Amino acid sequence: MFKVVNLVSTHSMISFAIFLALSTTANAQRAPDTTAKTPAAATTPPQEGLRPDIAKFLQTAQQMLQMKQFKEAMAQIDAAAMLTNRTPYELFILDRMRGTAAAGLGDNATAAKSFEAVVETNRLAPTERVLFAEAITSAHYNLKDYKAAAIWSARAMKEGSTLAQIRILLIQSLFLTDDLIAAKTEVDAAIADAEKAGNVPAEDMLKLMGRIALKQKDTLSYTAALEKLVNHYPTKNYWADWIARVAIAANMTDRNMQHVFRLQLTMGENLTASQYMFLARNAVEAGFPIDAKQIMDNGFQANVLGMSPEHKSLRDKVTKDAADDTKNMARISAEVANLKTGPSLFNTGLNYVLSGDKTKGIAMMEEGIKRLTPKQLEDAKLRLGMAYTAAGNREKAMAILATVSGADGLTEVAKLWGMYAKQLKVAP
């Protein structure tokens, strides 16, 4: 589902390159550096300068660049370049200004070539080397020369670049050149760095993590990327993809698949007819006809069920059984209250929750869970977490769901429910 998309548009990338060479605008996106100086195009090192016949063209070109009149600026630069016997310093200034004008014109090839020539003169201050390496990265990426973009983005970072875009361009470039091992190493490190600093990883970085994992056929990493995306940037599509990945996992059992369908139903998603029937039958077999009736009613109201006599037959049965259960709940709850072991108290409490009396039901479930065997405990913790979620008790739901584990898909299902609980909008 993921696509490799530029973090910034081509136009933005070009503008970015221009201002790297002309102003301090680019520094607004990086950590403040009180030692940094504006990389003016005509700054002259001690004991070096421009001859008057070249200077007059380049001074005019500088004015054109400041007004973003790039075509006119390039004409002045070309005129200066026609003069003979140019000194190394004059060539340095010509390349610097030509690269800036070329970037403004969208001529990324000339911009990259010119800026590379500037860097290789070793005349730039350390802060300027960072700026120009970033601009060269941008130009190569726009040219789709991803191998060169990877080299220059890595160089920019080595020089001290802190722009998030540069790190993303490094990873994208590695990915697009099929250097997947290096791309994974870089994306994992970038996400770990953000999390270690207490920051939320950028959505594009997490999407890259997922895209790389897909290409490597690394299901675990892809699912981990989806989990992080749902956690930090929850959308219907991310949720659907994560749920689907959990549902098709090799270790998923029918017993826990019902909880996946139930989550989709809780989130307002319609199920297929077979999924409604599967869920309702599981509720019947577990001894929860009230739950089964609610599932069948939901399916009929959604106009998904009702096309088959089997649908009506099951609905009629669970409607009758649910009415009997409701009539006998008070008596049953009194009978099971004194039982020392077994799931009866817990299940009766769950029935109360399903009937709408969440306070009474959860209290019985909390007491009943103490009387279960270790074998019964994990599934019961999941159901109690789901009951807390239904009651809007986000903190308790998250706490108990985080403790659920099982090799049959239970751990993954509990993660889904835990994330859903975390994102509950609870009234203050």
Side-chain angles (χ1 to χ4, degrees), residues 299-359:
F300 271 83
Q301 289 166 10
N303 293 318
V304 176
L305 296 179
M307 315 301 174
S308 164
E310 184 185 11
H311 301 167
K312 185 177 185 304
S313 174
L314 182 57
R315 189 188 195 189
D316 290 345
K317 179 183 185 309
V318 297
T319 298
K320 178 181 180 302
D321 291 347
D324 290 341
D325 244 28
T326 301
K327 183 171 61 176
N328 295 319
M329 277 176 67
R331 176 182 59 79
I332 293 171
S333 61
E335 291 175 356
V336 302
N338 295 321
L339 295 177
K340 301 300 182 184
T341 60
S344 299
L345 180 59
F346 183 88
N347 288 346
T348 303
L350 178 55
N351 247 338
Y352 272 104
V353 171
L354 295 168
S355 300
D357 192 343
K358 298 179 179 66
T359 301

Side-chain angles (χ1 to χ4, degrees), residues 400-421:
I400 195 164
L401 289 167
T403 70
V404 177
S405 64
D408 54 355
L410 189 62
T411 303
E412 291 74 18
V413 170
K415 280 186 178 182
L416 290 175
W417 275 96
M419 188 69 74
Y420 176 74

Side-chain angles (χ1 to χ4, degrees), residues 237-315:
N237 286 340
Y238 291 152
W239 260 112
D241 201 1
W242 187 24
I243 290 172
R245 288 283 161 174
V246 170
I248 64 174
N251 63 336
M252 180 60 63
T253 61
D254 283 353
R255 178 179 178 81
N256 290 316
M257 192 65 221
Q258 65 174 310
H259 301 309
V260 176
F261 292 150
R262 188 178 300 279
L263 176 61
Q264 291 176 292
L265 206 55
T266 302
M267 295 176 72
E269 301 292 328
N270 284 328
L271 306 180
T272 66
S274 61
Q275 288 169 344
Y276 274 115
M277 295 295 284
F278 171 83
L279 199 52
R281 288 192 184 106
N282 269 274
V284 170
E285 291 172 9
F288 299 111
I290 293 172
D291 186 26
K293 178 183 182 302
Q294 291 175 351
I295 293 164
M296 293 300 292
D297 287 347
N298 189 299
F300 271 83
Q301 289 166 10
N303 293 318
V304 176
L305 296 179
M307 315 301 174
S308 164
E310 184 185 11
H311 301 167
K312 185 177 185 304
S313 174
L314 182 57
R315 189 188 195 189

